[in-house]
Amino acid sequence: MSDSFYTGGEGRYFATDLAVSPWNPKHQNGVAIAALAAHLIETSPTLAPMMLARMTLDIARPTPIGAFDAVCSVTREGRRMQNLDVVFSAAGEITARVSALRVRTASSPVSEDVLDYPSPDDTPPNPLARRDPRRAGLETRVLHGGLTKIGPGSGWARPALDILPGVPASPLVAAAMAADLGSGLSSIFPHAVWSFANIDLAIHFVRAPVSTWIFVDAATSSAGDGSALVNTVLADERGPFARAHQTLFVEPIRIASASPREAQTA
Amino acid sequence: MSSAFYRRIAAARFQPLQPATGSWNRSHQNGVAVAGLLAQAIDGAPTRSPMKVARFTLDIMRPVPFAPVDVDMVPVRDGARMQLIDARIMADGEIVARASAMRVRMDSTPSVEEAPPAYPGPAAAPVNPVTSVLSTGHPMETKVVAGSIREPGPGAFWATFNADVIEGEPMCPLARAAMASDVGSAPSSIVERGKWSFANVDLSLYLTRLPVGPWVLVDAVTTSGGSGVGLVNSTLADEQGVFGRAHQTLFLAPIETAS
């Protein structure tokens, strides 16, 4: 049995150290938060067959490793559309808030995005980060770009952990996790000089993904005034199925232990 | 014709005026007006340090009645580095529309901008409205530079506004971007006109900066996986270049024809 990001249920959860953020070991990774939010949405009932059309995750504060609450509630019920919120909180404060829109499914004309990319089998293993994929939450195969290359990037990602004990990541959960890789794949910042954590993650779906292997094709841009925007296309083995965006909070990396002279040359 | 979409009748209470009338149902407000009102409300909410809106997400949960509405602001997180704030339209004590905005403190950081779109600017573009109702003098003026509402396929248009959102209060750049974006579905339809309806049920904007100047370009492509749901993907630009993206979820349904 795989290890999981979380244990718990019914609104009360515990983040294991597999959910740790690369930016701060006391905080949860956005990949894990997105995974749990997608799982709670997906397992929440609807009045008619529906698909998730949009999921918008806002990080208000870091969510701590350890105990926290995550509650999914319907803000507007309906047979044609449903709005949901998932609220994460710890120590009485909201740490993350997801707003989601689900829409009834029906038959309609197809008009899909086109994207040219190799299958996961034709993409050599090439991890995004040197960490063990179990600690990163995802197994990754970078096709181009990455943390040390400035410019657009792409690659395949697949969950390496369960969400909860005995609950593997579904294709929808895998998509939410993979979407969070857009910023790392497409960095425009000199490595180890700038910090660019994402403070939100939004995914717009045209259909549900059909596999847990998710292709991420991302590009970052910025007007140079303190934030950056990642624009991402998500695809599976059938083709593109979603667009995703992240707002990045951009600031210099503080090297706390360096002398002022070392900090200048870092 | 009124030169505004709304009149402020109390600190947070607004009377819709003629330009806010729904296109499909005159007892409702239209989405462009609602987007503008909530964008103006967010723009007017104070922040603890100078900030700009990086993301704006609008859900219209119920038709907004063509009647006075209250707007209330709920800060979810009001920090010095970022602010997450909701603006809600209430009608009969129920939330009928909610916009949430992520605002980020401004600082000097590396810039990498996208290439500008290859369309003529608004001055060079011929007068070619998106629809017959959006002609010169109407509160929203448009010039199509690619595609049309009469044919399926992508479309692009410049939009400017000849009216305040709130009477007597200048239109803020966020409202200009949101209101123009809300029309993205019109010229980028993928379905046969008259056979399918495609109401947009939400609006999301992702911005590297706010637009500068009176004109906004919306370059829209609609896609669908065939599940009764469409997605409009728009690139937003002003006369200086690209400043963001917008998306709308579309409810695709066959139009029932009378027998």
Side-chain angles (χ1 to χ4, degrees):
Chain A
M1 181 167 74
S2 278
D3 291 316
S4 60
F5 283 125
Y6 301 106
T7 60
E10 290 178 27
R12 186 112 193 115
Y13 298 91
F14 186 92
T16 69
D17 66 356
L18 296 172
V20 157
S21 163
W23 302 106
N24 186 316
K26 296 195 189 127
H27 300 158
Q28 290 187 33
N29 192 338
V31 168
I33 294 171
L36 182 58
H39 171 69
L40 292 176
I41 290 164
E42 193 175 31
T43 53
S44 179
T46 52
L47 295 181
M50 293 194 180
M51 62 167 263
L52 179 62
R54 190 197 86 238
M55 182 178 132
T56 308
L57 162 63
D58 284 310
I59 309 281
R61 289 182 175 79
T63 307
I65 293 295
F68 68 100
D69 296 307
V71 177
C72 181
S73 58
V74 174
T75 52
R76 183 276 206 111
E77 188 62 282
R79 290 186 186 281
R80 289 150 48 95
M81 287 169 288
Q82 182 196 56
N83 290 89
L84 300 136
D85 275 1
V86 181
V87 177
F88 288 65
S89 58
E93 290 186 319
I94 294 180
T95 58
R97 196 271 303 275
V98 181
S99 75
L101 169 69
R102 296 204 276 189
V103 179
R104 70 85 184 87
T105 49
S107 188
S108 65
V110 173
S111 179
E112 290 183 302
D113 256 339
V114 173
L115 188 68
D116 193 21
Y117 54 101
S119 72
D121 290 338
D122 291 339
T123 307
N126 178 17
L128 178 61
R130 266 175 267 129
R131 290 198 298 170
D132 169 9
R134 277 173 61 263
R135 299 201 63 82
L138 291 155
E139 175 193 345
T140 50
R141 298 186 179 181
V142 176
L143 190 62
H144 65 279
L147 288 167
T148 56
K149 299 196 172 81
I150 290 182
S154 67
W156 285 98
R158 159 165 84 172
L161 295 173
D162 287 349
I163 311 308
L164 291 159
V167 181
S170 66
L172 191 70
V173 169
M177 294 169 68
D180 206 53
L181 296 183
S183 50
L185 280 167
S186 66
S187 170
I188 55 169
F189 305 103
H191 183 54
V193 176
W194 295 92
S195 143
F196 50 97
N198 56 299
I199 54 179
D200 65 14
L201 171 66
I203 312 166
H204 298 262
F205 295 87
V206 292
R207 62 166 171 81
V210 299
S211 63
T212 52
W213 268 123
I214 305 291
F215 188 76
V216 182
D217 188 343
T220 298
S221 60
S222 175
D225 57 5
S227 71
L229 171 62
V230 185
N231 297 320
T232 298
V233 177
L234 299 178
D236 58 19
E237 298 182 70
R238 209 179 103 183
F241 65 85
R243 295 291 181 103
H245 298 279
Q246 295 158 291
T247 300
L248 308 183
F249 188 96
V250 185
E251 62 182 337
I253 285 182
R254 273 159 247 280
I255 305 159
S257 56
S259 70
R261 185 157 159 260
E262 282 175 309
Q264 269 171 15
T265 55
Chain B
M1 173 178 302
S2 172
S3 63
F5 286 77
Y6 297 92
R7 174 172 298 130
R8 190 188 290 267
I9 57 178
R13 193 164 173 82
F14 301 89
Q15 168 70 53
L17 304 174
Q18 198 273 336
T21 311
S23 329
W24 312 116
N25 187 324
R26 295 163 66 90
S27 64
H28 298 154
Q29 297 186 28
N30 70 59
V32 170
V34 171
L37 181 63
L38 292 176
Q40 289 286 138
I42 282 166
D43 186 69
T47 51
R48 287 175 50 187
S49 63
M51 293 192 186
K52 55 160 197 175
V53 172
R55 200 210 70 253
F56 173 91
T57 304
L58 168 63
D59 276 302
I60 299 192
M61 294 164 175
R62 301 240 173 266
V64 180
F66 196 90
V69 292
D70 298 300
V71 176
D72 75 345
M73 309 300 294
V74 180
V76 177
R77 169 77 203 275
D78 189 17
R81 289 150 57 87
M82 50 75 72
Q83 182 194 70
L84 175 60
I85 187 164
D86 288 351
R88 304 155 351 149
I89 292 181
M90 313 295 291
D92 294 331
E94 223 195 328
I95 301 178
V96 292
R98 182 178 79 183
S100 74
M102 179 65 84
R103 299 165 100 179
V104 181
R105 69 85 186 83
M106 314 222 1
D107 199 357
S108 183
T109 56
S111 101
V112 172
E113 304 217 38
E114 293 188 72
Y119 295 116
V127 175
N128 178 15
V130 167
T131 80
S132 59
V133 300
L134 299 180
S135 49
T136 308
H138 186 274
M140 177 169 178
E141 185 181 331
T142 56
K143 293 184 173 187
V144 173
V145 290
S148 99
I149 64 155
R150 286 168 207 81
E151 285 144 29
F157 62 96
W158 287 98
T160 192
F161 295 89
N162 301 314
D164 296 336
V165 179
I166 302 165
E167 194 173 50
E169 301 174 32
M171 179 180 289
C172 67
L174 178 66
R176 182 169 292 112
M179 295 168 79
S181 298
D182 202 55
V183 184
S185 51
S188 66
S189 163
I190 53 166
V191 288
E192 216 182 314
R193 205 170 169 224
K195 295 226 167 111
W196 293 86
S197 70
F198 50 97
N200 47 296
V201 299
D202 69 2
L203 174 67
S204 303
L205 270 64
Y206 304 94
L207 308 176
T208 53
R209 60 173 175 80
L210 289 172
V212 172
W215 289 93
V216 169
L217 176 76
V218 179
D219 185 359
V221 178
T222 295
T223 63
S224 177
S227 302
V229 178
L231 176 64
V232 183
N233 300 320
S234 296
T235 299
L236 306 180
D238 57 19
E239 294 181 74
Q240 293 183 6
V242 173
F243 67 84
R245 292 281 191 285
H247 294 286
Q248 297 158 283
T249 302
L250 303 181
F251 188 95
L252 290 168
I255 290 176
E256 313 290 322
T257 48
S259 53

